[in-house]
């Protein structure tokens, strides 16, 4: 679950297809999954001007659509990528650092928040923390990490 479409996502109408999306695809692969195995959604459905953080009223407008997506998908696990996604679903202003990496019950699903891939592009030193969070998801789902095939 991401924040909102950027320029590339707006053009293609597909979430997470830009640089952050490419990193997200690698993260999903590292978990032994593919993008087809997961449902990727954004909190806001339109690109905020200049890629600014969505305003509270924009989030409130889009939230019912997101909640309906979640009802239809009925996921076992929800991974919130970044504070906007986590704060929107958990209806909190608390910083993501308060609950990152902790399992939280959310409408019958297990929710975990981790850093956004765009944050990782700017702060690669945070990658081990995100990998630790993703490993928790893998344990819950009974997945083993993807190993590159050697020739
Ligand atoms: N960042 C997001 O949060 N969502 C996207 O779809 C792309 C970048």
């Amino acid at each position: 679950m991401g924040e909102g479409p950027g320029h590339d996502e707006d053009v293609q109408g597909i979430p997470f297809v830009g640089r952050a999306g490419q990193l997200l695809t690698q993260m999903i692969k590292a978990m032994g999954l593919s993008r087809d195995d997961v449902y990727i959604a954004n909190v806001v459905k339109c690109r905020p001007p200049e890629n600014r953080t969505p305003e509270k009223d924009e989030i409130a407008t889009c939230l019912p659509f997101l909640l309906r997506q979640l009802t239809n998908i009925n996921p076992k696990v929800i991974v919130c990528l970044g504070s906007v996604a986590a704060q929107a679903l958990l209806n909190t202003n608390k910083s993501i650092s308060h609950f990152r990496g902790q399992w939280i019950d959310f409408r019958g699903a297990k929710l975990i928040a981790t850093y956004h891939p765009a944050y990782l592009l700017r702060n690669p030193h945070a990658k081990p923390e995100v990998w630790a969070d993703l490993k928790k998801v893998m344990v819950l789902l009974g997945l083993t990490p993807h190993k590159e095939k050697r020739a």
Side-chain angles (χ1 to χ4, degrees):
M1 168 94 38
E3 178 176 320
H7 172 266
D8 297 323
E9 291 76 20
D10 215 22
V11 169
Q12 294 189 44
I14 302 170
F16 281 101
V17 289
R19 273 188 74 216
Q22 285 161 25
L23 178 55
L24 177 62
T25 303
Q26 286 175 26
M27 289 156 61
I28 292 168
K29 254 195 183 163
M31 297 172 74
L33 296 169
S34 79
R35 281 178 70 116
D36 289 341
D37 296 319
V38 301
Y39 185 84
I40 304 174
N42 278 313
V43 172
V44 294
K45 308 307 185 189
C46 299
R47 180 187 179 208
E50 313 298 330
N51 288 344
R52 62 158 169 69
T53 303
E55 305 281 2
K56 278 201 170 1
D57 63 331
E58 294 165 344
I59 293 173
T61 301
C62 290
L63 200 58
F65 294 97
L66 178 61
L67 294 178
R68 227 176 297 160
Q69 283 176 296
L70 290 174
T71 301
N72 289 335
I73 297 297
N74 194 20
K76 188 167 174 185
V77 171
I78 299 169
V79 179
C80 288
L81 302 168
S83 55
V84 169
Q87 290 174 341
L89 279 192
L90 298 173
N91 191 24
T92 181
N93 290 323
K94 274 190 193 164
S95 153
I96 188 170
S97 57
H98 280 90
F99 47 80
R100 199 214 95 240
Q102 294 172 31
W103 285 117
I104 298 167
D105 291 319
F106 181 83
R107 296 177 179 230
K110 291 278 176 199
L111 181 153
I112 195 166
T114 194
Y115 295 129
H116 194 288
Y119 175 81
L120 291 182
L121 290 173
R122 296 189 304 271
N123 302 279
H125 62 82
K127 284 185 180 178
E129 287 164 271
V130 171
W131 183 233
D133 299 339
L134 297 181
K135 279 199 282 192
K136 289 185 185 178
V137 175
M138 291 164 63
V139 168
L140 195 104
L141 296 176
L143 300 170
T144 45
H146 172 75
K147 296 229 169 50
E148 288 293 334
K149 286 206 181 91
R150 286 164 203 271

